[in-house]
Amino acid sequence: MGKTIDTSELLYRMGKYAEIDVEQDKHDSFMHFMLLLTRTIEKMPNAALTHKNPIDDEIMGNQYKLTNAISLVTGRTRNDGWYPTWIGMTMKIVRLKSGESAGFRYIKDNEGHDYPGAMHTSCVVDYYISSDKKNVIVQTENTIYKFEKVEED
């Protein structure tokens, strides 16, 4: 089972990673980020982000906005392929299990219009869900996806 950490601290550390100059040495920059994140995780006494496997019905019923997709190669927000379209979209999690491809069904596009279809990822390495189920972070073989729950009006 994964460790537990404070959601805001994890998201802060993820944001700090974007500030690292990965052009000089991409691998060392990523390893530096992972070291910072690991040290943060180890020091957090009160946990809000927990590893869950499998996900529950509540999570499957929630709608989440994809707020970021970070390449594990570059450490930057992905702007290749469909990523510029996907980031900002509202989706539902339809499949999320370590060792398998994750699946997400589109609900709304970046402008809030209904959007049909679905996407799948490379193999899921791990994922974390905040205890309040408002944040989901999925690490695949290629990308880290960050989702935030869409609050109902």
Side-chain angles (χ1 to χ4, degrees), residues 70-85:
I70 301 170
S71 168
L72 290 176
V73 174
T74 67
R76 301 276 187 205
T77 296
R78 295 195 60 163
N79 58 9
D80 56 308
W82 286 92
Y83 287 96
T85 302

Side-chain angles (χ1 to χ4, degrees), residues 66 69 78-89 91 106 109-110 115-116 118-120 145:
L66 178 61
R78 295 195 60 163
N79 58 9
D80 56 308
W82 286 92
Y83 287 96
T85 302
W86 291 336
I87 296 172
M89 289 182 76
M91 304 179 186
Y106 306 139
D109 66 13
N110 295 323
Y115 197 91
M119 67 174 272
H120 67 276
Y145 297 89

